[in-house]
Amino acid sequence: MNEAKKSASILIVDDSEAIRVKIRKVLSSEKGLFESFYEAENGIDGYKKLLEHKIDLILCDVVMPQIDGFKLLLMVKGHPELRDIPIIMLTAEEEQEKKNLGLQKGASDYLTKPFDDFELLARVRLHLKLKLLQDELMEANKQLTHLSITDALTQVYNRRYLMKMMLNEISRSKRYRSDLSFLLLDIDNFKALNDTYGHQAGDQILIDICIRIGKTIRSTDILSRYGGEEFAVLLPQVPLTGAEKVAEKIRKEVAENPFQINEDKINVSLSCGISCFLEEKVDTIDTVIMEADRALYESKKNGKNRVTISKDCLESISVHEDEDKK
């Protein structure tokens, strides 16, 4: 927690320079509580500071010219990247209704002016500690989410995430009648590579192949490790012809550029099967994967290091094209 404290920052928003100076002096008396102090004399300037800097805590007067404390509070709570910053409102002793209103609108706490130095420090310490704990929890949740959808070795998406995204993209394809293609890729003779060069070299090849595929596809495409030495690529809004070009580009990138493993250069190749979403025929996750798997089997059977399109998908596309011409 000490490291977090050193990097903490506070924004003091008050139209009285004397009050801003006093707050800063009191909070500076506790060494290491805040590393950065920012000040603003009104709500507009305060909001600009919030957009420009990373702020961990806000002390804000209620009564200010132009934009008062309540309006600034609403602006902060309405901004998705700012809404979790705790806000301690500063109010006059007789403004009980304003204190209640501030708490209802999302203020974390309030201080009555003129405030006691010890009370100021105590309330600021409390809300800063809560904020830092909240940040730690959010970061831990992000890491857990990343782990739950990512393959540990290759750092691309895992099969579970692929299934979720396929369900979403198939629903989108049905709704908007948009193209959706799917590639299933398998490293040729991977067992022999492992047996010859060792599993560590095999792992490095898996990682390097993912890097090469990632550089070949669009940022909107979804690359996942399907299992073992198999990979899948989901291509939203890409027809079969486009998917074939992508697959061929990936195949060449792998086959024509040997992999460096220690002092050895290793030739590696991929076989690929392509399918697509087709309403009324290939219209579920299982059928899309099954058609790609059949096409992949054909690539393997016909010599490996090649790309094959699902016959059912190709025939259905041809039939629809003929009907459209009529």
Side-chain angles (χ1 to χ4, degrees):
M1 186 68 73
N2 288 338
E3 288 184 6
K5 279 186 177 181
K6 287 178 184 177
S7 63
S9 60
I10 186 169
L11 172 64
I12 305 163
V13 188
D14 198 299
D15 58 332
S16 169
E17 183 179 2
I19 290 177
R20 297 199 308 271
V21 169
K22 182 182 179 183
I23 291 173
R24 184 164 186 160
K25 183 179 178 182
V26 172
L27 297 182
S28 297
S29 67
E30 183 162 328
K31 190 175 180 182
L33 186 61
F34 290 105
E35 181 183 55
S36 303
F37 288 84
Y38 299 97
E39 296 180 24
E41 61 183 15
N42 57 61
I44 294 175
D45 190 29
Y47 193 68
K48 288 179 181 177
K49 291 282 198 308
L50 285 166
L51 296 176
E52 293 169 356
H53 306 282
K54 182 185 180 301
I55 305 294
D56 295 296
L57 183 69
I58 302 169
L59 276 173
C60 180
D61 190 19
V62 169
V63 181
M64 292 184 295
Q66 297 178 321
I67 292 180
D68 63 17
F70 289 143
K71 288 180 181 176
L72 178 60
L73 175 63
L74 291 174
M75 290 167 70
V76 171
K77 294 304 173 183
H79 194 296
E81 294 180 11
L82 304 177
R83 63 170 62 128
D84 293 326
I85 302 174
I87 302 178
I88 300 175
M89 307 297 290
L90 304 174
T91 61
E93 188 173 354
E94 67 276 7
E95 295 173 335
Q96 184 61 49
E97 287 186 9
K98 290 185 177 179
K99 295 173 186 176
N100 296 339
L101 182 61
L103 293 172
Q104 288 173 9
K105 291 181 180 295
S108 304
D109 206 343
Y110 66 86
L111 272 169
T112 301
K113 295 188 292 185
F115 50 79
D116 177 76
D117 293 357
F118 179 81
E119 183 182 11
L120 170 63
L121 268 171
R123 290 182 186 271
V124 165
R125 276 197 220 102
L126 171 64
H127 290 289
L128 178 60
K129 183 178 180 180
L130 291 174
K131 174 61 165 59
L132 297 177
L133 287 171
Q134 175 183 284
D135 289 348
E136 289 176 7
L137 180 60
M138 288 176 66
E139 184 58 33
N141 286 335
K142 284 181 183 178
Q143 291 178 9
L144 285 173
T145 300
H146 175 76
L147 290 172
S148 71
I149 65 174
T150 307
D151 175 62
L153 175 66
T154 62
Q155 292 299 299
V156 299
Y157 291 122
N158 59 23
R159 185 168 176 169
R160 188 173 90 172
Y161 184 77
L162 171 70
M163 297 297 110
K164 176 184 175 182
M165 293 309 295
M166 284 187 76
L167 188 64
N168 292 345
E169 291 300 333
I170 284 175
S171 296
R172 192 198 307 271
S173 186
K174 286 180 180 178
R175 189 180 311 121
Y176 299 109
R177 295 186 174 276
S178 57
D179 291 308
L180 177 63
S181 295
F182 179 73
L183 312 182
L184 197 57
L185 306 113
D186 183 88
I187 302 175
D188 297 326
N189 307 312
F190 187 67
K191 184 179 182 304
L193 290 172
N194 268 333
D195 292 343
T196 304
Y197 298 99
H199 288 279
Q200 191 172 359
D203 287 349
Q204 190 57 54
I205 288 171
L206 292 171
I207 294 168
D208 289 347
I209 280 179
C210 285
I211 292 171
R212 293 188 187 190
I213 296 174
K215 289 178 179 178
T216 305
I217 62 178
R218 305 169 302 174
S219 60
T220 51
D221 299 329
I222 298 158
L223 166 63
S224 75
R225 187 178 179 190
Y226 191 71
E229 65 271 22
E230 281 191 321
F231 304 95
V233 181
L234 192 62
L235 302 168
Q237 299 181 7
V238 176
L240 273 179
T241 52
E244 185 179 21
K245 290 177 183 177
V246 173
E248 188 60 28
K249 192 174 179 182
I250 292 171
R251 186 197 66 76
K252 286 183 178 180
E253 174 62 32
V254 172
E256 296 177 3
N257 299 288
F259 290 70
Q260 186 75 44
I261 301 295
N262 298 323
E263 297 179 357
D264 298 321
K265 285 192 174 181
I266 303 174
N267 291 313
V268 180
S269 65
L270 289 174
S271 294
C272 178
I274 305 175
S275 67
C276 66
F277 168 76
L278 290 172
E279 204 160 5
E280 299 175 1
K281 191 167 187 179
V282 188
D283 59 349
T284 66
I285 291 175
D286 290 341
T287 52
V288 169
I289 294 174
M290 182 177 66
E291 286 303 312
D293 194 45
R294 285 177 177 172
L296 174 60
Y297 175 77
E298 290 298 316
S299 288
K300 293 285 190 182
K301 187 175 72 172
N302 293 325
K304 304 176 182 177
N305 190 24
R306 64 188 63 232
V307 173
T308 305
I309 298 177
S310 157
K311 290 180 181 177
D312 281 1
C313 290
L314 204 54
E315 289 171 0
S316 295
I317 294 293
S318 298
V319 168
H320 285 301
E321 286 178 348
D322 291 340
E323 289 176 352
D324 290 340
K325 288 178 182 178
K326 293 177 183 179

